[in-house]
């Protein structure tokens, strides 16, 4: 049992990135609260709104989850804690992929066949929805603009809706999000097909505020390890498709900037 007086004030914990089934997210956060309390850390569950960037930069964030691309481009002050391993096709250890999703009518086509068509992405600062697709496009022969139009939907889920409504033709979707939707909202994927994938990249980092002490970071890592290994919480982790945890550093995410820079060197600075 560890007691840290510096955290006598309440800190917030959140898991906003894969919150596609709120009861499962709540159960996971409750388990984390219990484990952290066993180590003398009081934490309150937090449900960030749409402004995730402000949430990630708050001083009272004890633990949250972000995307690797904003971690490397915007969130210079936050500290990395680690990364879950997801038990999903497309994931290996801490790494994950984007799935290139189109309508069923385009099944069997390759990315190159979508030149001049319409893409949709969840956000321009998304690793899985934008940076990964830009990197794949940059690998293709031929200069100039690839897609005729690129829309920003606000979420992977909404990107899939736009594919089904035929207002866009292709999207890069985080494979964990895709697997969770298969489980909880399978109708959303009806009429869609996976036509390709991105290379592996490091998955969504768990972070803590800049002023969190090094001792507390170590404690958080121990708590997350316990979460994925404690028999009490096996069902909760399985429901969230989580199978493990590893500490990571900011250095782990340098490849995401290399993808961006390599695309730029090939003349693809944006989709």
């Amino acid at each position: 049992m560890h007691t840290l007086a510096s955290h006598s004030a309440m800190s917030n914990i959140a898991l906003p990135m894969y919150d596609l089934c709120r009861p499962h997210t709540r159960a996971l956060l409750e388990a984390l609260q219990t484990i952290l309390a066993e180590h003398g850390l009081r934490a309150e569950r937090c449900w960030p709104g749409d402004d995730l960037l402000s949430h990630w930069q708050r001083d009272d964030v004890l633990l949250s989850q972000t995307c690797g691309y904003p971690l490397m481009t915007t969130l210079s002050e936050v500290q990395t804690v680690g990364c879950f391993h997801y038990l999903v096709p497309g994931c290996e250890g801490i790494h994950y992929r984007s799935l290139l999703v189109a309508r069923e009518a385009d099944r069997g086509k390759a990315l190159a066949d979508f030149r001049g068509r319409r893409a949709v992405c969840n956000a321009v600062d998304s690793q899985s929805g934008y940076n990964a697709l830009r990197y794949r496009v940059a690998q293709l022969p031929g200069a100039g603009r690839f897609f005729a139009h690129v829309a920003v939907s606000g979420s992977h889920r909404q990107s899939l809706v736009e594919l089904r409504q035929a207002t866009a033709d292709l999207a890069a979707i985080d494979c964990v999000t895709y697997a969770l939707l298969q489980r909880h909202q399978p109708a959303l994927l009806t009429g869609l097909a996976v036509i390709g994938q991105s290379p592996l990249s490091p998955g969504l980092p768990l972070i803590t505020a800049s002023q969190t002490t090094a001792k507390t970071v170590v404690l958080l890592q121990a708590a997350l390890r316990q979460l994925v290994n404690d028999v009490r919480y096996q069902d909760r982790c399985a429901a969230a498709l989580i199978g493990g945890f590893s500490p990571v550093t900011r250095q782990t995410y340098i490849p995401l900037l290399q993808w961006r820079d390599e695309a730029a060197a090939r003349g693809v600075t944006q989709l």
Side-chain angles (χ1 to χ4, degrees):
M1 182 78 70
H2 304 271
T3 302
L4 298 178
S6 62
H7 273 281
S8 57
M10 190 68 77
S11 297
N12 289 321
I13 58 172
L15 292 171
M17 298 303 282
Y18 292 132
D19 183 26
L20 294 169
C21 179
R22 180 58 58 89
H24 290 171
T25 307
R26 182 179 291 111
L28 208 57
L29 288 170
E30 287 173 353
L32 265 173
Q33 280 181 298
T34 300
I35 295 169
L36 290 169
E38 290 168 0
H39 291 278
L41 283 179
R42 297 169 65 237
E44 184 174 358
R45 296 191 306 278
C46 173
W47 304 101
D50 292 336
D51 188 1
L52 285 174
L53 202 56
S54 293
H55 157 70
W56 293 324
Q57 293 173 315
R58 287 177 61 95
D59 291 340
D60 59 356
V61 170
L62 179 63
L63 189 72
S64 188
Q65 190 176 38
T66 185
C67 172
Y69 194 77
L71 174 74
M72 298 304 287
T73 57
T74 310
L75 303 173
S76 59
E77 299 301 315
V78 305
Q79 301 181 72
T80 55
V81 176
C83 187
F84 286 128
H85 306 183
Y86 288 93
L87 301 175
V88 166
C91 290
E92 296 179 24
I94 67 162
H95 293 85
Y96 77 141
R97 301 179 192 271
S98 298
L99 304 177
L100 304 185
V101 182
R103 281 183 297 283
E104 186 66 45
D106 288 321
R107 182 184 291 277
K109 291 184 177 175
L111 176 59
D113 299 321
F114 286 83
R115 183 178 291 278
R117 298 186 68 183
R118 303 160 302 168
V120 59
C121 64
N122 56 325
V124 295
D125 65 348
S126 168
Q127 164 58 24
S128 57
Y130 194 93
N131 195 41
L133 183 56
R134 174 172 55 190
Y135 180 72
R136 281 292 318 270
V137 165
Q139 309 301 307
L140 298 172
R145 190 167 178 83
F146 184 79
F147 294 110
H149 179 71
V150 179
V152 178
S153 68
S155 71
H156 282 306
R157 188 188 181 284
Q158 185 59 32
S159 293
L160 293 166
V161 169
E162 296 192 18
L163 291 179
R164 296 188 71 221
Q165 292 175 342
T167 56
D169 303 308
L170 186 77
I173 305 294
D174 176 327
C175 66
V176 180
T177 298
Y178 193 87
L180 286 166
L181 289 171
Q182 276 185 316
R183 179 172 288 194
H184 299 295
Q185 299 178 46
L188 192 62
L189 304 177
T190 303
L192 301 180
V194 175
I195 61 100
Q197 60 186 22
S198 75
L200 286 167
S201 65
L204 274 55
L206 295 154
I207 58 169
T208 189
S210 58
Q211 67 266 46
T212 302
T213 66
K215 189 173 182 180
T216 302
V217 172
V218 170
L219 193 153
L220 285 169
Q221 291 169 338
L224 288 159
R225 251 190 228 99
Q226 182 177 338
L227 175 70
V228 300
N229 288 302
D230 193 320
V231 67
R232 292 178 294 172
Y233 306 123
Q234 280 182 350
D235 289 348
R236 299 185 196 201
C237 287
L241 307 180
I242 293 170
F245 166 81
S246 294
V248 297
T249 67
R250 189 173 283 269
Q251 300 292 110
T252 305
Y253 293 86
I254 287 176
L256 308 192
L257 299 184
Q258 293 171 337
W259 285 18
R260 177 199 66 187
D261 295 345
E262 186 175 331
R266 293 169 177 257
V268 184
T269 56
Q270 60 185 28
L271 282 174

